[in-house]
Amino acid sequence: MTDAEDRKPQSDEARSAFVHPSGLVAPADSESSTTSEFAVPDGLAVPKPGTESETTSEFALPDGLDVAPPPAHEPEGSAFSTPRTYSARQAAAFTPPTGVPLVRLPKDVPWQDRMRTMLRMPVTERPAPEPVQRHDESGPAVPRVLDLSLRIGELLLAGGEGAEDVEAAMFAVCRSYGLDRCEPNVTFTLLAVSYQPSLVDDPVTASRTVRRRSPDYTRLAAVYQLVDDLSDDETHVSLEEAYRRLAEIRRNRHPYPGWALTAASGLLAGSASVLVGGGLLVFVAAAVGAMLGDRLAWLCAGRGLPEFYQFTVAATPPAAIGVALTLAHADVKASAVITGGLFALLPGRALVAGVQDGLTGFYITASARLLEVLYFFVGIVIGVLTVLYFGVQLGANLVPDAALVGDPRPVLQITASLGLSLAFAVLLQQERSTVLVVTLNGGVAWVVYGAMHYTGEISPVASTAVAAGVVGLFGQLLARYRFASALPYTTAAIGPLLPGSATYFGLLGIAQNEVNRGLTSLTKAVALAMAIAIGVNLGSEISRLFLRIGSAEKRRAAKRTRGF
């Protein structure tokens, strides 16, 4: 026997001494001289394989429990996969007891109301979009649709529109192209919109920053018309056509030239001075001061100065003319001249938009707008207060109550309110077709205020709030009648109600070292401004009570937090 043949049996014998089918080590049939410490000692019974489980894990299932095998096609690691314990029979447990309400939005209401209604709904309860969409068979171009909605929202927000209406317009654009699962978000300087096709697809998000603001209501009306055409089922507007129309809206020139804006500024200041008791000479002086201030503000804007300094510079010429007339002992009411100049500068629309955003739940945007109003107001205060301080030091005898002395002149004051609203509409670059309507709305506002304050002897704050409510009510009804924005019908109409005289008397009291009287008058000015803002918003909300909105018979709103 060779050496290889001699080694082979020994190898097999050694393997049989160590390897056992059950995984344990058992001795060979014959007596072995193996010295491994893992060998099973003699006399120990070893169970046969397969008779009893030898699993030592504490998670092992006991005998007699039948478990269905897991599906082989189950995806691993997906957060959106259906759980194993999910059963279609138990799906009804997630339905509310009252069922899911069927939401029907009537087509005869403006798109603003329909889109605002759906924005206040949960995503799962929104009605599905119309089957006819404005895109090809491959589906909507999601990035381009989101970009179009952002560009439209930028024009609306830069024009002074409220945050809720901007979100409604952005949602209307996305929904018109089939993107129903989208969420727009509007702040003071940032616009964002997110679209998620389904629960398992990645969302697409786009944003845009608003850097420049210019009140151009003609452009605002054109944007509203574009959104209305996109929301209309009978008007098929492609993406290319929508971009072309949007580019034309951006390129359109203002309807009024620069000299017309300067003349409108003078007419506004002169009319405001007549409202507070001025005559012909006061009208001319206030108009000249306002036009000088407007030109100086344009010069500062051309040099790149911020708006804060523009308001400061624009407030100095009317105050300087009023102080000069007082020093010259002219028989005029200098207080009326300065008050008229303040009317042309007070940011009434920014204040109304700020309060409106706060009342509708957009607190960040409301805080930013009110802070902007505060900065503008501080700029006006610095400009007027500087001139008044030097005027008092030079011996100008400025009587605090001079502007309000005299009996009310209803016909002249109504005419002045009409002129003030007309000038305000021109400064806001409104369409010429809306100027007459908003002028009449401003005259109605002053008639209501005069009847309550002068005839009924009601407090000016309450009279201002009611008159502003009438402005908001008529403005919303006119806007719904024409399927347009309410801004062109309300902003210029609140011009006669602005607290110009209270602001001036407060600044004069501080300049004459009578701080308590000045702060009291400034507090009154703030109360009047808040009354205007809340009245306009309340009138707008009251107007919706007479309209069919279509969201479970009423528009949904946020509930009270009750301290939580």
Side-chain angles (χ1 to χ4, degrees), residues 266-278 280 283 408-424 435-436 438-448 450 454 492-493 495-496:
L267 176 62
L268 192 154
S271 301
S273 65
V274 174
L275 281 179
V276 294
L280 180 60
F283 177 90
R409 300 167 294 176
V411 177
L412 188 59
Q413 288 180 335
I414 292 175
T415 305
S417 65
L418 294 174
L420 194 152
S421 301
L422 173 64
F424 216 153
V435 171
L436 178 61
V438 72
T439 300
L440 295 177
N441 199 10
V444 171
W446 182 259
V447 169
V448 173
Y454 295 111

Side-chain angles (χ1 to χ4, degrees), residues 282-293:
V282 172
F283 177 90
V284 174
V288 172
M291 288 189 290
L292 288 177

Side-chain angles (χ1 to χ4, degrees), residues 150 154 157 188-192 207-212:
L150 289 173
E154 179 189 9
L157 189 63
F188 186 62
T189 58
L190 182 65
L191 300 172
S207 62
R208 192 174 184 86
T209 303
V210 179
R211 303 187 184 277
R212 297 187 59 186

Side-chain angles (χ1 to χ4, degrees), residues 146-169:
L146 298 184
D147 178 72
L148 178 65
S149 66
L150 289 173
R151 292 178 182 272
I152 289 178
E154 179 189 9
L155 289 180
L156 294 177
L157 189 63
E161 190 62 85
E164 187 180 26
D165 293 329
V166 175
E167 282 194 358

Side-chain angles (χ1 to χ4, degrees), residues 129-130 133-135 140 145 173-181 195:
E130 290 76 9
Q133 305 298 337
R134 299 165 182 84
H135 55 74
V145 173
V173 174
C174 293
R175 188 176 174 84
S176 64
Y177 289 101
L179 308 185
D180 56 327
R181 299 179 63 90
Y195 170 69

